[in-house]
Amino acid sequence: MSAAKHYLTDPTHAVLSSLNSLTKTNPSLLFDEKNKIIYRNPSSLKSPTHVSVVSGGGSGHEPGFAGFVGEGVLTACVAGTIFASPAAEQVRTCLQHRLPPESEGILVVATNYTGDVLNFGMAVEKARALGKKVEMVVVGDDVGVGRAKSGKVGRRGLSGTALVVKICGALAEKGVGLADCARVGRSVVSNMVSLGASLSRVHVPGKGVEEAKDEEERLGHGLVEVGMGVHNEPGCFQMKSDLPNLIKTMLGQMLDQSDEDRAYVKIESSDDTVLQLNNYGGTSNLELGAILDEALAQLDKTYGIKPKRIIQGTLFGSLDGPGFILTVLKLSDTDLGPGKSLLSAIDAPVNAVGWPRCVSGETFETSYKPPAEKREDEREEVKPSNIRLSQQRLRSVLTPALNKVVAAEAEVTKYDTIVGDGDCGVGLKRGAEATAKTIDEVKSDDIMQFFAKLCPTIEMSMDGTSGALYAIFLNSLASNMRSLSPSSPAEVTVKMWAEALSMSIQGLGRYTPAQPGDRTLMDALVPFVNTLEKTGDVKQAAAEAQKGANHTKGMKASLGRSVYVGGSGFEEVPDPGAHGLSIFLNGIAEAL
Amino acid sequence: MSAAKHYLTDPTHAVLSSLNSLTKTNPSLLFDEKNKIIYRNPSSLKSPTHVSVVSGGGSGHEPGFAGFVGEGVLTACVAGTIFASPAAEQVRTCLQHRLPPESEGILVVATNYTGDVLNFGMAVEKARALGKKVEMVVVGDDVGVGRAKSGKVGRRGLSGTALVVKICGALAEKGVGLADCARVGRSVVSNMVSLGASLSRVHVPGKGVEEAKDEEERLGHGLVEVGMGVHNEPGCFQMKSDLPNLIKTMLGQMLDQSDEDRAYVKIESSDDTVLQLNNYGGTSNLELGAILDEALAQLDKTYGIKPKRIIQGTLFGSLDGPGFILTVLKLSDTDLGPGKSLLSAIDAPVNAVGWPRCVSGETFETSYKPPAEKREDEREEVKPSNIRLSQQRLRSVLTPALNKVVAAEAEVTKYDTIVGDGDCGVGLKRGAEATAKTIDEVKSDDIMQFFAKLCPTIEMSMDGTSGALYAIFLNSLASNMRSLSPSSPAEVTVKMWAEALSMSIQGLGRYTPAQPGDRTLMDALVPFVNTLEKTGDVKQAAAEAQKGANHTKGMKASLGRSVYVGGSGFEEVPDPGAHGLSIFLNGIAEAL
């Protein structure tokens, strides 16, 4: 169950206020609260004589379909309660009283669920009996339930419905007549295949929370249900939620012509197509992008299908369900002449808040120049210095110290989980491992060659706060060390290190206000450098670093992300960054 | 924890493929995979000399910010791993090698987190050292963490960052220079207040699932955390997730000038403002709309604030977090002359997939005519008939039968939960209760007056499939009954009922292919009507209805939503619709 927690527990209030909000995000809309109808203000219609396009269905699928009311898509939408069709009387009121009377006809688009078909159908019949020109298009695009099982009912309506609504709405806006709008709408339905999958059912606001636990048992961790409907209808089967295999299975059900129970539409690589990826509502955009990437790769590789347009977003949702629906539409000729093709209808402008943002048709049609051959990122030649540090010395001192940092990862992570965001240990470990590799790549005794390898290594391997602090510090250390280069080659001395380190602490101050006492790595670094400068004794300096790190226990952070952490815990553990640095510095001292 | 289930468990692959998908949904973009940079193809730039606008930060916030790369918003974006800043080297590569070299300058927009500031800052300094014109705007818009707690760090960056990026991007596109872009960006930051709230933390793909359970204990059912950050940082405090109070508390923290620890921006009712409602990613659109409606109502009532624009959607997400952020921006003068105001920058066209769809500025600025005084929905006058049915008789026969239906709700619901979507019992109960009320409203013995009340009552009170079936059937029954009206007033007879019912079953056939044997209410209705017609015996007819309903046990559904239900259970329970109708018909038989 995706989440049994809600901001509203009264489903009626949720539906009504959600619909009402559309009149705020689109002030050209009106809301008939009694009949749950969102409709365009007659005074906002540029062509009231054009065909009116109406849709609707249960609530909980937002933005579908009330969010599509507006210029370029729907004239009006009738909403039911959550996951239930509106009553026929609501639809009747919409058709008879909420559309421009001068409209040349009304196209009603409904999803193929018995309730929707009956309620919309009854209203259509009543409106026709009063002499109105009305056509109804019923959308069934699902392939999850095969022919044997769906029987006389036909295919369910899934998010392909949004494509029908968009195409018919755009054509109506262009002045296409009722019969042609209906004909094209029906042909879109017959050229479309959709299939859903979800990691869990959704919890409906106002319902009990007990079923959430049953659901966890029904659809366990690591499993996904293929064919799960947008009203929590169980799917066809469950499988491992391994993306490549899931997409392979789904595309197979959608496109495989040898599957006699399905094979609803024959789509060949020579066909022009549109791919739609619909979010049930609760799939993160991160994963949605990854799903799209996988689907496009397999469509191309396995089926030779390269969609002309890609539409991605929540169009026909299932509350906050962690699922998605793939739809492939085969583009056919509308026979309506130039500017009225399916693609031009899909590309046509929209002034409705619910339709997902897509780039322009022109952007899809343009052949952009491939990027210029990537220039090898120019690294400035490292100017030589006279300061010497042998690889052997580097290895004998640095390697054991770096190993200590790697070994301390679990401990540092533990501390950072208590007072920070838990990534400090892994960051330090990555940096230490990368640095250890760098030592092997240094081919010169010039210390500047070492820094030239070290700085980009640290920058690339350590991200987050500590990575940047280390990188700025090491860049600064390198240029300060260079400034100490003697006139003839000489081994680096502790005094030189102390001096360069001291200057670099100043440099760091340009980028962070952190000082000792702020519970950061400065609490270890500053005492180390100060002591080293004063005494020239690395061991003593390292001991001071450790003291400084221990001293952070009980310190309140005034900088760094742990400032924002509301909880306690800072009394018991040291600052993870200071602690990690102290381990490194003491490792050096021991190895010398 | 919102959901510990994912389609991808490898976070690196998720981030890379999600970024790559942007080059498919917007073919004018290029992807530097090594450095996780999404950037505009140089050949797609209409004005490469204009200021380049660059942003970035950790991944997991999609569409922020890579989804905003495109005409009208960003020139490029640099992404880190999930919830971690990109490394400085990535940003350096972007600034030095992924922007048009002829650009007059680079504006870098970063959120105020130490890691982002340091990494972007370091890259900015390196680019400046190479002679590039670069300005950096750091966004801190959060008010959740007050001054006492955030100390030297300043305000965190939340989804207000998206507004800065949009405004600066649009101004750059209009040819505004670097210094002015940076100045306006900083002024937007200082005029903005944001606050987040969430029902739960999010689970990061690839992490263990154990913490999900701890989290459930930490932030229990019915609780919301105010001030929760977009990287799972715990919030300031927890409170009951009761929407009106939650919004009241949040707006107080954002706008109350007497809160000395906050009061970051003074916004008065005379100020022009923009409201942004950002979805963390996992809040359903249904609830998001309701949240927006509540926020707008309270902003108006309590603060006299009526935003000039409303932007709603996932802009700066937190994976699939069930939270949201409210942002109020006070509009100030840009001093850039006509066509370059903040509003015109917000309204400016966008050709980037991540920016949420909003209606045009013109739609917000137009004063649409209020809707015409609502016409009382014309009900046709009920033409009189000669068929009589007294209110007393109605009450004595119908009321006990309706009560039986109400009493059977739990049982019918139980059956429908096993084989359907669980709404059948409640639907029948609602219909029965509404019908019982209708009886009191019938003021005439003419049976047509009863039907005139009954039909719209059933249409409005029963939604879903059974509602429509009942409504179509009753409409048909009314007109068929009228056709049997004798030449002088007479009591309705069982024979008349039988005849009208029989004709109406034919009528129903125009809207549903259901026949006995399909596991629908027809399995009770048809035997009842057939037997009544043959025998004239209501009790016998009702017994046949019950037999028919019982007979549905083990029948496979070939119509109705339960067709799609994959599970078993149909062997043990009757069709809930047939069972409910049989209870009603037997109730009538008993009451006669």
Side-chain angles (χ1 to χ4, degrees):
Chain A
M1 186 73 44
S2 65
K5 297 182 78 176
H6 305 281
Y7 294 96
L8 296 101
T9 47
D10 175 358
T12 304
H13 178 65
V15 168
L16 292 178
S17 55
S18 198
L19 288 169
N20 190 52
S21 77
L22 291 169
T23 64
K24 311 296 171 56
T25 49
N26 184 350
S28 73
L29 303 184
L30 294 169
F31 178 36
D32 170 353
E33 182 171 324
K34 181 185 162 204
N35 294 293
K36 296 204 273 288
I37 301 168
I38 288 286
Y39 61 111
R40 296 178 65 185
N41 188 317
S43 72
S44 75
L45 296 167
K46 285 175 192 154
S47 315
T49 57
H50 286 179
V51 168
S52 297
V53 183
V54 174
S55 190
S59 290
H61 303 301
E62 296 73 19
F65 294 104
F68 302 152
V69 180
E71 218 176 321
V73 198
L74 289 176
T75 317
C77 177
V78 193
T81 56
I82 295 178
F83 293 169
S85 165
E89 176 63 14
Q90 295 171 252
V91 185
R92 187 193 67 78
T93 305
C94 177
L95 302 187
Q96 289 182 220
H97 302 297
R98 302 291 174 258
L99 302 175
E102 55 273 60
S103 166
E104 72 145 280
I106 304 170
L107 183 74
V108 174
V109 179
T111 48
N112 189 27
Y113 295 97
T114 314
D116 290 303
V117 171
L118 290 172
N119 286 302
F120 281 85
M122 177 155 56
V124 164
E125 290 302 323
K126 286 187 172 191
R128 278 185 183 153
L130 291 175
K132 290 202 181 278
K133 270 180 72 187
V134 192
E135 285 286 338
M136 179 154 151
V137 172
V138 177
V139 182
D141 53 327
D142 177 49
V143 302
V145 182
R147 287 192 184 86
K149 205 164 174 189
S150 57
K152 305 179 196 172
V153 179
R155 300 198 281 162
R156 299 189 283 203
L158 292 181
S159 46
T161 312
L163 284 171
V164 178
V165 154
K166 171 71 171 83
I167 288 167
C168 292
L171 293 178
E173 199 87 36
K174 288 169 192 269
V176 172
L178 180 60
D180 282 329
C181 283
R183 174 179 57 79
V184 171
R186 289 181 191 119
S187 103
V188 168
V189 173
S190 65
N191 278 305
M192 207 162 42
V193 284
S194 297
L195 183 59
S198 186
L199 295 172
S200 164
R201 300 175 75 194
V202 293
H203 184 266
V204 176
K207 293 263 167 94
V209 298
E210 282 314 305
E211 48 180 316
K213 285 167 194 161
D214 300 345
E215 173 66 11
E216 238 179 74
E217 280 170 30
R218 197 186 68 81
L219 182 52
H221 198 78
L223 291 178
V224 61
E225 197 152 293
V226 177
M228 188 184 288
V230 286
H231 311 92
N232 268 340
E233 303 96 320
C236 310
F237 59 87
Q238 302 183 352
M239 62 180 287
K240 258 190 73 181
S241 57
D242 155 52
L243 188 63
N245 261 322
L246 172 63
I247 296 293
K248 186 181 163 200
T249 305
M250 291 175 74
L251 292 181
Q253 287 209 351
M254 292 162 70
L255 300 169
D256 182 1
Q257 291 304 302
S258 67
D259 180 348
E260 281 181 21
D261 192 35
R262 295 190 171 84
Y264 287 103
V265 183
K266 188 170 185 178
I267 302 179
E268 315 207 55
S269 59
S270 55
D271 290 320
D272 282 344
T273 56
V274 171
L275 176 71
Q276 183 184 270
L277 171 57
N278 174 63
N279 189 348
Y280 273 35
T283 306
S284 72
N285 283 324
L286 175 74
E287 290 207 274
L288 205 69
I291 290 164
L292 180 64
D293 202 52
E294 182 69 34
L296 284 166
Q298 291 198 24
L299 269 178
D300 186 4
K301 201 177 158 205
T302 312
Y303 301 94
I305 293 176
K306 292 178 205 287
K308 301 279 283 179
R309 297 289 184 277
I310 300 162
I311 299 165
Q312 175 196 249
T314 307
L315 294 110
F316 189 54
S318 180
L319 291 170
D320 61 349
F324 65 92
I325 296 172
L326 286 169
T327 299
V328 178
L329 164 66
K330 178 165 81 173
L331 294 171
S332 58
D333 201 333
T334 59
D335 295 321
L336 293 171
K340 291 169 185 168
S341 68
L342 293 185
L343 272 190
S344 74
I346 286 170
D347 292 339
V350 166
N351 200 23
V353 294
W355 191 256
R357 176 80 66 177
C358 310
V359 296
S360 66
E362 193 196 335
T363 304
F364 274 106
E365 295 291 338
T366 305
S367 296
Y368 296 99
K369 276 187 238 152
E373 196 70 23
K374 260 190 203 163
R375 298 155 286 203
E376 189 55 40
D377 296 345
E378 311 104 17
R379 301 225 173 271
E380 285 103 70
E381 274 286 290
V382 184
K383 279 182 231 142
S385 81
N386 278 325
I387 309 178
R388 294 288 171 268
L389 176 59
S390 73
Q391 204 198 38
Q392 191 195 340
R393 179 85 175 146
L394 262 179
R395 187 173 288 130
S396 70
V397 177
L398 219 45
T399 306
L402 293 169
N403 287 343
K404 288 216 160 80
V405 174
V406 172
E409 188 246 306
E411 187 187 30
V412 175
T413 297
K414 196 183 100 192
Y415 294 163
D416 197 34
T417 306
I418 294 169
V419 296
D421 55 2
D423 61 1
C424 181
V426 173
L428 285 174
K429 183 184 167 202
R430 258 202 308 258
E433 286 171 343
T435 303
K437 267 192 211 154
T438 305
I439 296 173
D440 296 333
E441 292 166 11
V442 178
K443 301 291 177 218
S444 152
D445 276 4
D446 184 342
I447 198 169
M448 286 302 134
Q449 293 291 342
F450 166 58
F451 280 121
K453 292 273 180 205
L454 180 65
C455 291
T457 298
I458 289 295
E459 286 167 20
M460 289 303 283
S461 64
M462 295 176 68
D463 52 16
T465 311
S466 53
L469 278 172
Y470 278 107
I472 293 181
F473 187 72
L474 292 172
N475 271 299
S476 183
L477 185 60
S479 53
N480 290 325
M481 188 63 92
R482 178 190 299 281
S483 74
L484 304 177
S485 181
S487 53
S488 59
E491 198 72 14
V492 64
T493 64
V494 170
K495 192 167 178 299
M496 287 161 80
W497 277 114
E499 203 169 334
L501 284 165
S502 179
M503 285 191 277
S504 303
I505 282 185
Q506 308 305 316
L508 206 53
R510 288 198 292 271
Y511 298 95
T512 171
Q515 296 293 334
D518 288 332
R519 194 183 172 93
T520 68
L521 61 84
M522 299 300 264
D523 282 296
L525 183 60
V526 172
F528 176 85
V529 175
N530 286 348
T531 309
L532 195 65
E533 223 182 357
K534 255 185 271 172
T535 66
D537 183 337
V538 179
K539 283 192 166 49
Q540 202 178 322
E544 288 300 316
Q546 192 175 340
K547 244 191 250 174
N550 287 342
H551 194 59
T552 58
K553 280 187 204 171
M555 238 178 228
K556 273 190 119 165
S558 65
L559 288 162
R561 197 174 289 167
S562 53
V563 169
Y564 300 122
V565 177
S568 63
F570 64 90
E571 298 91 344
E572 288 81 34
V573 301
D575 176 65
H579 182 70
L581 177 58
S582 159
I583 284 171
F584 173 69
L585 295 172
N586 279 277
I588 298 252
E590 284 166 35
L592 276 172
Chain B
M1 186 75 42
S2 64
K5 297 182 79 177
H6 306 281
Y7 294 96
L8 297 101
T9 47
D10 175 358
T12 304
H13 178 65
V15 168
L16 292 178
S17 56
S18 198
L19 288 169
N20 191 51
S21 78
L22 290 169
T23 63
K24 311 294 172 56
T25 49
N26 184 349
S28 72
L29 302 185
L30 294 170
F31 178 34
D32 170 354
E33 182 172 326
K34 183 186 161 203
N35 294 292
K36 295 204 274 285
I37 301 168
I38 287 286
Y39 61 110
R40 296 177 65 185
N41 188 318
S43 72
S44 74
L45 296 168
K46 285 176 191 153
S47 315
T49 58
H50 286 180
V51 167
S52 296
V53 183
V54 173
S55 190
S59 290
H61 303 300
E62 295 72 18
F65 295 103
F68 301 152
V69 180
E71 219 175 322
V73 198
L74 289 176
T75 317
C77 178
V78 193
T81 57
I82 295 177
F83 293 169
S85 165
E89 177 64 13
Q90 296 172 252
V91 185
R92 187 192 67 78
T93 304
C94 177
L95 302 188
Q96 290 181 220
H97 302 297
R98 302 291 173 260
L99 301 176
E102 54 273 61
S103 166
E104 70 144 284
I106 305 169
L107 183 74
V108 174
V109 180
T111 48
N112 189 27
Y113 295 96
T114 314
D116 290 304
V117 171
L118 289 171
N119 286 304
F120 281 85
M122 177 153 58
V124 165
E125 290 301 322
K126 286 188 171 190
R128 277 184 184 154
L130 291 173
K132 288 201 183 278
K133 270 179 73 185
V134 192
E135 285 286 338
M136 178 154 152
V137 172
V138 177
V139 182
D141 53 326
D142 177 49
V143 303
V145 182
R147 288 190 184 87
K149 205 165 174 190
S150 58
K152 305 178 198 174
V153 179
R155 300 197 280 160
R156 297 189 284 203
L158 292 180
S159 45
T161 312
L163 284 171
V164 177
V165 153
K166 171 71 169 84
I167 288 167
C168 293
L171 292 178
E173 199 88 34
K174 288 168 192 270
V176 172
L178 179 60
D180 281 329
C181 283
R183 174 178 59 79
V184 171
R186 290 184 189 116
S187 103
V188 167
V189 173
S190 64
N191 279 305
M192 205 163 46
V193 284
S194 296
L195 183 59
S198 186
L199 295 172
S200 163
R201 299 175 76 195
V202 293
H203 184 267
V204 176
K207 293 262 166 96
V209 298
E210 281 314 304
E211 49 179 317
K213 283 168 193 158
D214 300 345
E215 173 65 12
E216 239 180 74
E217 280 169 29
R218 198 186 68 80
L219 182 53
H221 199 79
L223 291 179
V224 61
E225 197 152 293
V226 176
M228 189 183 287
V230 285
H231 312 92
N232 269 342
E233 304 96 319
C236 309
F237 58 88
Q238 302 183 353
M239 61 180 288
K240 258 190 71 182
S241 58
D242 155 52
L243 188 63
N245 261 321
L246 173 63
I247 297 293
K248 187 182 162 201
T249 304
M250 291 176 74
L251 292 180
Q253 287 209 351
M254 292 163 70
L255 300 170
D256 183 0
Q257 291 305 301
S258 67
D259 180 349
E260 281 180 21
D261 193 34
R262 294 189 171 85
Y264 287 103
V265 183
K266 188 169 184 179
I267 302 179
E268 314 207 56
S269 59
S270 55
D271 291 319
D272 283 345
T273 56
V274 171
L275 177 70
Q276 182 184 271
L277 172 56
N278 174 65
N279 189 347
Y280 273 35
T283 305
S284 73
N285 283 324
L286 175 73
E287 290 207 275
L288 206 68
I291 290 165
L292 180 65
D293 202 53
E294 182 69 35
L296 285 167
Q298 290 198 25
L299 269 178
D300 187 3
K301 201 176 159 207
T302 313
Y303 301 94
I305 293 175
K306 292 179 205 287
K308 301 278 284 180
R309 296 291 184 279
I310 299 162
I311 299 164
Q312 176 196 250
T314 306
L315 293 111
F316 189 55
S318 180
L319 291 168
D320 59 349
F324 65 91
I325 296 172
L326 286 170
T327 298
V328 179
L329 164 65
K330 179 165 79 173
L331 294 171
S332 58
D333 201 333
T334 59
D335 295 320
L336 293 172
K340 290 170 185 168
S341 67
L342 293 186
L343 273 188
S344 74
I346 287 170
D347 292 340
V350 167
N351 200 24
V353 293
W355 191 255
R357 176 80 65 175
C358 310
V359 295
S360 66
E362 193 195 333
T363 303
F364 275 107
E365 294 292 336
T366 306
S367 296
Y368 295 100
K369 275 187 240 153
E373 197 69 24
K374 261 189 201 162
R375 298 155 287 205
E376 191 53 42
D377 294 344
E378 309 103 20
R379 302 224 172 273
E380 284 103 74
E381 274 286 289
V382 183
K383 281 183 232 141
S385 81
N386 279 326
I387 309 178
R388 295 287 172 266
L389 177 60
S390 73
Q391 203 199 37
Q392 192 194 339
R393 179 82 173 145
L394 262 180
R395 188 174 287 131
S396 70
V397 177
L398 218 44
T399 306
L402 294 169
N403 288 343
K404 287 217 162 77
V405 174
V406 172
E409 188 246 306
E411 187 188 30
V412 175
T413 297
K414 196 183 101 191
Y415 295 163
D416 197 35
T417 306
I418 295 169
V419 297
D421 55 3
D423 62 1
C424 180
V426 172
L428 285 174
K429 183 184 167 202
R430 257 202 310 257
E433 285 171 343
T435 303
K437 268 192 211 155
T438 305
I439 297 174
D440 295 333
E441 292 165 13
V442 178
K443 302 292 178 217
S444 153
D445 277 5
D446 185 343
I447 198 170
M448 285 302 134
Q449 293 292 341
F450 167 59
F451 279 121
K453 293 274 180 203
L454 180 65
C455 292
T457 298
I458 289 294
E459 286 167 21
M460 290 302 284
S461 64
M462 294 177 68
D463 51 17
T465 311
S466 52
L469 280 173
Y470 278 107
I472 293 179
F473 187 72
L474 291 172
N475 271 299
S476 181
L477 185 60
S479 53
N480 290 325
M481 187 63 91
R482 178 191 300 281
S483 73
L484 304 177
S485 182
S487 52
S488 58
E491 199 71 13
V492 65
T493 64
V494 170
K495 191 167 180 298
M496 288 160 82
W497 277 114
E499 203 168 335
L501 283 165
S502 179
M503 286 191 276
S504 303
I505 282 185
Q506 308 305 316
L508 206 53
R510 286 199 294 273
Y511 297 95
T512 170
Q515 296 293 334
D518 288 332
R519 196 183 171 93
T520 68
L521 61 83
M522 300 299 266
D523 282 296
L525 183 61
V526 173
F528 176 85
V529 174
N530 286 348
T531 309
L532 195 67
E533 223 181 357
K534 256 185 272 174
T535 66
D537 183 336
V538 180
K539 281 190 170 44
Q540 203 177 321
E544 288 301 316
Q546 191 174 341
K547 243 190 252 173
N550 287 344
H551 194 59
T552 59
K553 279 186 209 174
M555 237 177 227
K556 272 189 121 167
S558 66
L559 288 161
R561 197 175 289 167
S562 52
V563 170
Y564 299 121
V565 178
S568 63
F570 64 90
E571 297 91 346
E572 288 81 33
V573 301
D575 175 65
H579 182 70
L581 177 58
S582 159
I583 284 171
F584 173 71
L585 295 173
N586 280 279
I588 298 253
E590 284 166 34
L592 277 172

